[in-house]
């Protein structure tokens, strides 16, 4: 029987759901708080067959994954998938290279270049996001040059080096919601609308999770986007536009605690079943 | 199975935790609603500490 190592930092309600699902399937579980591990290749011994990376900290999860992979351990999601999905610019580049519809975007390091990029993508408003970031943190809708200059000056003075890489994305007018599709091994398992009066629709920022019935276009788009970034367990954030769907971002350590009830889908069970499937094919 | 008892480090209220509680789990104090983390578990007693502030790389 599979012994599954769950890599974590803090344990959220999502990890508790995964533990319940694993218990129901009688899996052996090793909870591994990566903050308490010495990742020394000369001394480390592996006590599990397969790892599921569920760290709240992207950086810690990334290093733990890379270390385990160096020791020959299969980790879900792989470091290759994580390194693309954790970075909004890299995600956008991969989507564009694979001809998957996504908002216009650019990366710049200064004000003049930002002005030029905004002109190239059709003018204001635009959204400036941290390349690494989640839960709707530090998103800025920029409506004019005055706001742009103020934002960039603040980032230059107060921000970390990472914050000085400016990812600029075309602002998409949403119909009071966006769509999150949960995708496992290239297959869309369910989706929610994230409904909000605010332009930021993340559930972490108060967006309401409602069931979204999957249609053929969403299933195809989800499969294609998943394949583009390397597959695994993913949550795609998608905008609805008059011209069709646009993939906004892809999350590689997805949260789903608010989505099992509205969709009626046991997402945690689907995740654990996928781990079992991967284990059988090791 | 017995509930686990713990004292909130913010308001001193005694909180009952479910048996499936795990070290590093995030909970809310039933009294003051502070976000807490299980720091230690021993038999039917748990030690709680305040949850850390959200960091720049936290998320999905």
């Amino acid at each position: 029987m599979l012994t599954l190592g769950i890599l974590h930092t803090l344990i959220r309600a999502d990890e508790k759901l995964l533990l319940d699902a694993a218990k129901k399937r009688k899996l052996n579980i090793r909870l591994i708080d990566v903050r308490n591990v010495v990742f020394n290749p000369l001394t480390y011994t592996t006590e599990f067959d397969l790892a599921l990376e569920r760290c709240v900290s992207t950086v810690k999860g990334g290093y733990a994954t890379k270390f385990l992979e160096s020791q020959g351990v299969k980790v879900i999601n792989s470091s290759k998938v994580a390194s693309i999905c954790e970075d909004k610019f890299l995600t956008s580049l991969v989507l564009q290279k694979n001809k998957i519809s996504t908002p216009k975007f650019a990366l710049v390091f200064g004000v003049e270049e930002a002005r030029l990029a905004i002109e190239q993508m059709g003018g204001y408003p635009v959204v400036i996001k941290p390349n690494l970031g989640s839960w709707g943190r530090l998103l800025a809708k920029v409506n004019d040059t005055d706001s742009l200059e103020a934002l960039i000056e603040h980032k230059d003075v107060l921000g970390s080096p990472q914050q000085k890489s400016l990812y600029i994305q075309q602002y998409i007018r949403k119909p009071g919601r966006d769509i999150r599709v949960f995708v496992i091994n290239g297959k869309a398992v369910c989706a929610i609308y994230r409904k909000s009066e605010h332009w930021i629709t993340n559930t972490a920022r108060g967006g309401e999770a409602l069931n979204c019935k999957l249609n053929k276009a969403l299933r195809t788009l989800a499969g294609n986007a998943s394949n583009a970034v390397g597959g695994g367990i993913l949550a795609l954030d998608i905008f609805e536009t008059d011209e069709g769907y646009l993939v906004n971002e892809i999350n590689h350590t997805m949260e789903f605690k608010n989505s099992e009830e509205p969709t009626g889908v046991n997402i945690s069970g689907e995740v654990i079943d996928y781990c079992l499937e991967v284990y059988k094919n090791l | 199975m017995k509930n686990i008892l713990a004292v909130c480090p913010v308001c001193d209220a005694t909180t009952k935790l479910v048996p499936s509680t795990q070290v590093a789990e995030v909970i809310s104090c039933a009294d003051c609603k502070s976000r807490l983390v299980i720091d230690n578990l021993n038999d039917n007693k748990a030690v709680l500490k305040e949850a850390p502030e959200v960091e720049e790389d936290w998320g999905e």
Side-chain angles (χ1 to χ4, degrees):
Chain A
M1 178 49 76
L2 164 66
T3 298
L4 180 66
I6 297 184
L7 311 178
H8 69 90
T9 48
L10 294 176
I11 293 180
R12 298 162 285 187
D14 309 88
E15 283 73 46
K16 294 299 292 283
L17 289 168
L18 290 169
L19 288 172
D20 284 347
K23 196 175 170 185
K24 281 181 188 153
R25 287 156 180 78
K26 302 189 188 309
L27 265 64
N28 299 315
I29 294 291
R30 293 279 186 281
L31 277 173
I32 301 142
D33 189 333
V34 301
R35 297 170 297 180
N36 302 332
V37 178
V38 178
F39 292 108
N40 178 347
L42 301 179
T43 57
Y44 186 86
T45 52
T46 309
E47 296 176 337
F48 47 88
D49 305 304
L50 176 70
L52 177 64
E53 194 272 293
R54 292 290 314 171
C55 297
V56 177
S57 161
T58 304
V59 171
K60 292 181 176 78
Y63 278 117
T65 299
K66 284 169 192 155
F67 174 82
L68 289 172
E69 286 177 342
S70 78
Q71 302 303 297
V73 177
K74 172 89 175 170
V75 184
I76 301 169
N77 288 315
S78 71
S79 60
K80 187 181 168 201
V81 172
S83 64
I84 295 169
C85 296
E86 72 186 21
D87 187 310
K88 292 177 178 64
F89 185 53
L90 294 187
T91 303
S92 298
L93 286 173
V94 169
L95 291 173
Q96 201 212 28
K97 190 178 177 186
N98 286 275
K99 298 184 171 41
I100 292 163
S101 303
T102 190
K104 294 172 190 169
F105 67 97
L107 182 94
V108 299
F109 302 115
V111 176
E112 287 309 315
E113 294 73 20
R115 277 203 202 105
L116 186 57
I118 292 164
E119 197 180 303
Q120 288 170 358
M121 61 179 71
Y124 296 98
V126 295
V127 178
I128 296 187
K129 306 179 177 184
N131 271 312
L132 305 180
S134 192
W135 296 339
R137 284 193 314 274
L138 293 174
L139 304 189
K141 181 181 168 205
V142 179
N143 296 321
D144 54 39
T145 303
D146 288 346
S147 308
L148 178 76
E149 288 172 352
L151 178 76
I152 294 177
E153 186 181 5
H154 277 75
K155 282 181 178 284
D156 275 344
V157 174
L158 302 172
S160 63
Q162 189 67 45
Q163 294 295 335
K164 293 170 190 173
S165 302
L166 303 164
Y167 173 87
I168 306 176
Q169 188 186 60
Q170 171 194 16
Y171 175 71
I172 303 294
R173 289 181 205 286
K174 294 185 269 188
R177 67 188 191 191
D178 68 2
I179 296 173
R180 164 160 291 195
V181 184
F182 297 93
V183 188
I184 299 179
N185 196 23
K187 184 185 165 203
V189 296
C190 61
I192 56 166
Y193 289 117
R194 302 190 302 180
K195 187 182 165 195
S196 176
E197 297 300 312
H198 198 279
W199 67 273
I200 298 175
T201 46
N202 300 57
T203 53
R205 294 280 295 266
E208 185 186 1
L210 301 167
N211 186 44
C212 168
K213 198 173 172 187
L214 285 167
N215 58 34
K216 192 179 171 189
L218 275 176
R219 287 183 192 278
T220 303
L221 181 64
N224 290 343
S226 169
N227 291 339
V229 298
I233 299 167
L234 302 167
L236 277 62
D237 295 341
I238 293 173
F239 295 146
E240 302 160 276
T241 72
D242 293 340
E243 288 76 42
Y245 296 120
L246 300 176
V247 178
N248 174 30
E249 295 175 7
I250 302 180
N251 301 279
H252 68 285
T253 47
M254 65 190 195
E255 293 175 337
F256 50 85
K257 60 181 176 291
N258 298 328
S259 304
E260 292 198 339
E261 194 273 325
T263 61
V265 174
N266 181 216
I267 300 169
S268 49
E270 297 274 352
V271 168
I272 297 298
D273 286 342
Y274 174 62
C275 292
L276 279 164
E277 190 185 320
V278 170
Y279 172 63
K280 282 176 192 160
N281 294 316
L282 280 179
Chain B
M1 293 172 77
K2 285 182 181 175
N3 280 322
I4 300 163
L5 296 178
V7 175
C8 172
V10 179
C11 71
D12 280 344
T14 299
T15 300
K16 281 184 184 173
L17 307 173
V18 295
S20 63
T21 300
Q22 303 284 342
V23 172
E25 185 177 341
V26 182
I27 63 160
S28 292
C29 172
D31 272 40
C32 72
K33 314 298 179 201
S34 295
R35 279 173 63 79
L36 308 169
V37 178
I38 314 295
D39 194 34
N40 201 334
L41 265 178
N42 195 355
D43 295 327
N44 62 337
K45 286 185 182 172
V47 177
L48 305 176
K49 65 179 180 183
E50 286 186 77
E53 294 292 321
V54 172
E55 294 187 34
E56 193 175 329
D57 72 324
W58 285 20
E60 302 182 75

